[in-house]
Amino acid sequence: MHALRVAVGALWLVFWIYWLATALGAKQSTGGRRARLCGLTVAVPVFIILRVLGGGSLAIRSPEVAGVGAACLVAGLGLAVWARLHLGRNWGMPMSQKADPELVTSGPYRLIRHPIYSGLLLAMVGTTLVRNLIGLAFVVAAGAFFLYSARVEERNLAATFPSAYPAYRSATKMLIPFVL
């Protein structure tokens, strides 16, 4: 179990290094600021969570549950990276607006409108299942933030793409394919 917990921390570290490195190539936001350190808003709390959730009465001791958690972590980070690749230079911090925006509806965006948020939430649930169930409180807080961010982004997208976005919105779910 210790090796799996170390692997979870290492996977998150590699993910955030990738995330920050790819932020350098994003389009400029309409506010004029580049999203260079965007991942720190989530990366720092994730590493604090990993450090704090080492033991206690809610620590996961079942290898089977930890295995499911590891699979969720890998699937969630994979979904977030896949979505990030499809956004290309259109990617930015939550609720930011880009200069010369494009409506991306390919890849994971065919199934859900906010696959990065979905992927990060799934990865956080997976981390919780490997480490400690107290992490579910952090997942709920992140979920509330992502839901709020998604709603703000959807208002912006509807205003930016008044003819295309409503049709896309009605054809896809927000966070969970075929459900929500």
Side-chain angles (χ1 to χ4, degrees):
M1 287 287 283
H2 177 70
L4 182 57
R5 290 179 180 180
V6 170
V8 165
L11 188 57
W12 274 109
L13 179 63
V14 168
F15 172 78
W16 287 114
I17 289 170
Y18 161 78
W19 209 253
L20 291 171
T22 57
L24 298 174
K27 288 180 183 177
Q28 211 161 20
S29 296
T30 56
R33 285 179 33 191
R34 270 216 181 286
R36 295 186 188 270
L37 299 177
C38 58
L40 291 179
T41 58
V42 177
V44 170
V46 166
F47 284 108
I48 291 170
I49 291 166
L50 289 175
R51 198 69 188 138
V52 170
L53 300 181
S57 62
L58 295 177
I60 301 299
R61 291 178 174 75
S62 165
E64 294 82 10
V65 172
V68 169
C72 288
L73 170 65
V74 170
L77 292 182
L79 176 59
V81 168
W82 183 30
R84 170 67 180 86
L85 289 171
H86 271 273
L87 275 181
R89 292 179 31 109
N90 292 298
W91 174 82
M93 289 183 66
M95 299 178 282
S96 65
Q97 293 182 303
K98 295 294 177 182
D100 302 319
E102 300 169 42
L103 182 60
V104 177
T105 60
S106 61
Y109 292 90
R110 288 180 312 218
L111 301 172
I112 44 180
R113 298 189 306 270
H114 302 280
I116 291 175
Y117 295 156
S118 299
L120 290 176
L121 286 171
L122 181 59
M124 290 169 58
V125 167
T127 301
T128 296
L129 293 177
V130 170
R131 306 285 301 193
N132 192 309
L133 293 177
I134 291 174
L136 291 176
F138 295 101
V139 173
V140 168
F145 173 73
F146 288 158
L147 189 58
Y148 171 76
S149 297
R151 289 190 174 148
V152 169
E153 290 170 9
E154 292 199 353
R155 277 194 303 263
N156 293 339
L157 288 166
T160 304
F161 304 102
S163 60
Y165 195 75
Y168 170 65
R169 184 177 179 173
S170 67
T172 57
K173 297 296 184 180
M174 182 185 273
L175 295 169
I176 302 170
F178 314 110
V179 179
L180 171 70

